[in-house]
Amino acid sequence: PWQMRMAGSRALAAFPYRYLVRGGHDALYSKFPIRAARTQWDADPTMAPTTVAMLDVDGRPLKILLAHPWPPVNEKLWHLQQQQFRSWAAGKPRSGESMILVGDLNATPWCVGFRRIEEGTGLTDVRLSGGLNPSWPSTHPWWRIPIDHVLVSRDIDVEAVRIGAPTGSDHLPVVVDFTVPVGTQQTGR
């Protein structure tokens, strides 16, 4: 499994905190302590799970939504994906809440559902500051498309966005350097 290949990856050595999603398809790797994490399974068992985690970034909570909807390879899965996008679009951060939505959304930035998430949540696509950064498939650079995304709340300052080194997954990592405000200062690089 890919998680076993990634576990020994030098690229992940800098991320000592980990949450592996049951079922083995997703994982959250962090430089900051993961204080709580749970995987939500929608009332509809056909929907893909979403993981909600709270990180401690130098004393300030940071909410992470780790998402991985079904790929839209047929009409039924496309409808399920769009239903999940509508659900996330309704999840606007509370006032003062720092939030990141991250994952393989199986959608490009020009997809209608992706734009719906941006508009509904008020989150910003980090690619706006760093270029397209296609990440999948990792094995075919000339076919790569940007389906792995990081969207951040407006209080998070994005400093750099890049594609990381291969980790053994069929996706390349999207690496984002950012700071999270703590009180009146920025921290959490």
Side-chain angles (χ1 to χ4, degrees), residues 107-177:
T108 60
W110 47 88
C111 166
V112 171
F114 181 82
R115 289 195 306 271
R116 184 179 295 129
I117 293 169
E118 286 182 300
E119 292 167 6
T121 61
L123 299 176
T124 302
D125 181 3
V126 299
R127 283 194 174 88
L128 296 176
S129 63
L132 200 54
N133 291 308
S135 55
W136 180 85
S138 62
T139 55
H140 299 294
W142 54 91
W143 292 347
R144 281 191 198 135
I145 56 174
I147 62 172
D148 300 292
H149 299 280
V150 180
L151 295 101
V152 299
S153 54
R154 299 200 191 286
D155 63 326
I156 295 174
D157 182 30
V158 175
E159 298 167 1
V161 180
R162 65 192 173 283
I163 295 299
T167 61
S169 169
D170 61 331
H171 295 255
L172 294 172
V174 178
V175 180
V176 181
D177 295 328

